[in-house]
Amino acid sequence: MSATTLLLTLGFAALVCFGVPFAVAIGAVVMLVLVVADIEPAFLAQQLIAGSQSFSLLAIPLFMLAGELMTAGGLSQRLVNVASVLVRHRTGGLAMVTVVAALIFAAISGSAPATTAAIGAILIPAMAKQGYDKAFAASIAVSAGVLGPLIPPSIAFVIWGTIAEQSIGKLFLSGIMPGLAIALGLLVVCYVHAKRHRVPKQPKATWQERREAFASGKWALLSPFIVIGGIYGGIFTPTEAAGISCAYALLIGMFVERRIKLPDIPAITLRAVRTSAIVTAIIAVSAGFGVLIAQEQLATNFASWLASQISEKWMALAALNIAFFLLAAVMDEIAIMVILGPMLMAIATKFGVDPIHFGAMIVTNVAIGMAAPPIGYCLFVGMAISGLSLARIARAIWPQILVMLFVLFLTTYVPQFSLLLVSR
């Protein structure tokens, strides 16, 4: 094993274990390899620029900003009100409101942490007040956030589509069925929890309340139709859709809801920039990392080794899922996609897996990782909102994780489950 290979694998793993941020760890390893291999240091600068200049990646900060504008403009509260009049009277109704509201908000933000933050901030306190265990309330908001990467438009699919050079529009469609299946499973969890703990039901909404909720929420409900309809109607690309989503959220927040004032815009933008900067930094430095991995033929060699050790396609997919789930529990999900992307695609090609189906499998895994202990992003959002420890939320979230793993099983071994809506 060469010095370059050791640095790229063991060196990176050591830095991560010592708590070095992923972007810094990747950049440091690349610099060390350049020094050891006597490669021109300008290589890193070139790859930083190349790795962050894809037009598709522009959708990430724009969707982040759209989510922040929706929340600040009061549209997330409108979505909660609409979901409430539909399902609040059911057993587990308020928890179901969280899932339904997140399902709609996911079609606006494309982000799991943004979905958990927008919906959880409203409904975690409301559920605790109504009699739900607070840890369960936080866990269901965290789990519902997982819908963000699956329901289009999705930041995770934008990243994977860029890495794998696949149609982002088709990848968006491949996430719908897994997303809806997870939402349905979470609704069942809500019902079982409320039944077991005898959580009191809320009164059924009157037709007048429903009319008022839909009337006041019409602008929030219109946003997903504009964004998704525009993409699949061929009117604009996913990146352009992200820009339109921002403009729409800003106009509604300023001139219809009138909750956003001009002095508020810098603070809202800064919140989106902070989150986007983390994602973009990882993607930018990972470009150089990926080139070095390709030069060392690590992806090709690993794919060949796996094919020689495992002859059955279903076993290879199971091994990938297990490895991905374990990695996602301790490592940033975006970093996994970017760093291991070439290797994963080599394995998929080796076993003849449809690239769109494979993308759905990978992003479903990524979505689960957002809620999986110990470092899922959404867990930390739930902790911040609820004030609970990671251990308490982690103990409450395992029924939801099992639901997600079942959907991952369907996505992996029943290709038409995710490809049902994908037109060839």
Side-chain angles (χ1 to χ4, degrees):
M1 188 177 287
S2 68
T4 298
T5 300
L6 285 172
L7 283 172
L8 289 172
T9 53
L10 300 181
F12 174 70
L15 289 175
V16 171
C17 288
F18 281 113
V20 178
F22 289 102
V24 177
I26 296 167
V29 166
V30 172
M31 281 303 299
L32 284 171
V33 169
L34 298 184
V35 172
V36 170
D38 195 24
I39 300 174
E40 173 60 46
F43 168 85
L44 179 58
Q46 292 168 348
Q47 293 304 317
L48 283 172
I49 295 170
S52 56
Q53 279 195 327
S54 170
F55 179 68
S56 297
L57 294 179
L58 185 59
I60 296 171
L62 291 174
F63 277 128
M64 292 283 189
L65 180 57
E68 293 288 348
L69 289 167
M70 289 280 179
T71 302
L75 295 184
S76 55
Q77 178 65 63
R78 300 294 191 196
L79 293 176
V80 169
N81 293 341
V82 170
S84 179
V85 299
L86 292 175
V87 297
R88 74 184 187 196
H89 59 284
R90 306 286 182 185
T91 300
L94 197 56
M96 291 181 179
V97 169
T98 306
V99 177
V100 175
L103 187 64
I104 303 171
F105 192 83
I108 300 170
S109 72
S111 162
T115 301
T116 294
I119 304 304
I122 300 167
L123 284 165
I124 290 176
M127 282 189 279
K129 187 176 180 181
Q130 199 197 337
Y132 287 87
D133 175 68
K134 196 171 186 181
F136 173 79
S139 73
I140 203 68
V142 169
S143 305
V146 163
L147 300 172
L150 290 169
I151 302 299
S154 157
I155 291 171
F157 274 127
V158 170
I159 295 171
W160 182 255
T162 305
I163 295 167
E165 299 180 349
Q166 296 296 318
S167 165
I168 293 174
K170 288 182 178 180
L171 287 169
F172 279 174
L173 287 174
S174 73
I176 293 177
M177 293 306 293
L180 292 177
I182 287 177
L184 181 61
L186 294 180
L187 292 176
V188 173
V189 171
C190 294
Y191 176 87
V192 171
H193 177 88
K195 195 80 171 176
R196 180 179 297 172
H197 293 85
R198 298 180 180 177
V199 178
K201 293 182 182 181
Q202 288 189 306
K204 187 174 182 178
T206 64
W207 284 107
Q208 179 63 24
E209 287 177 313
R210 292 181 181 182
R211 280 194 297 270
E212 290 174 357
F214 274 90
S216 63
K218 62 181 180 292
W219 296 108
L221 293 171
L222 187 59
S223 179
F225 289 102
I226 292 174
V227 173
I228 298 172
I231 292 172
Y232 293 110
I235 301 171
F236 38 70
T237 68
T239 303
E240 292 165 346
I244 289 167
S245 185
C246 287
Y248 180 85
L250 181 61
L251 290 172
I252 298 301
M254 291 185 69
F255 301 112
V256 178
E257 296 290 342
R258 298 184 180 179
R259 295 193 185 190
I260 298 177
K261 309 297 181 187
L262 278 176
D264 301 330
I265 295 177
I268 294 170
T269 305
L270 185 60
R271 288 198 295 272
V273 166
R274 283 173 179 160
T275 309
S276 302
I278 296 170
V279 176
T280 307
I282 292 171
I283 292 171
V285 295
S286 294
F289 193 91
V291 170
L292 294 174
I293 283 180
Q295 287 180 351
E296 290 294 300
Q297 295 187 319
L298 291 179
T300 306
N301 291 339
F302 180 76
S304 299
W305 175 85
L306 188 66
S308 67
Q309 299 298 313
I310 301 175
S311 58
E312 297 292 336
K313 176 179 172 180
W314 73 269
M315 290 179 66
L317 293 178
L320 281 177
N321 276 331
I322 293 169
F324 213 98
F325 180 76
L326 294 175
L327 281 172
V330 296
M331 186 176 172
D332 178 87
E333 292 78 15
I334 293 167
I336 296 173
M337 284 200 297
V338 176
I339 295 169
L340 300 182
M343 188 179 299
L344 294 169
M345 284 304 299
I347 293 169
T349 302
K350 200 82 174 177
F351 285 94
V353 183
D354 181 278
I356 301 298
H357 168 224
F358 192 66
M361 185 184 108
I362 293 298
V363 173
T364 302
N365 242 316
V366 166
I368 297 171
M370 296 283 187
I375 69 159
Y377 282 162
C378 293
L379 282 171
F380 294 110
V381 176
M383 287 166 60
I385 295 170
S386 65
L388 298 176
S389 68
L390 174 62
R392 282 199 63 189
I393 300 176
R395 281 195 298 269
I397 204 170
W398 282 106
Q400 293 95 295
I401 296 291
L402 291 175
V403 165
M404 297 175 202
L405 290 175
F406 176 72
V407 174
L408 176 61
F409 177 86
L410 287 178
T411 305
T412 301
Y413 293 112
V414 186
Q416 285 308 312
F417 176 67
S418 59
L419 297 177
L420 183 65
L421 303 176
V422 180
S423 58
R424 290 294 176 183

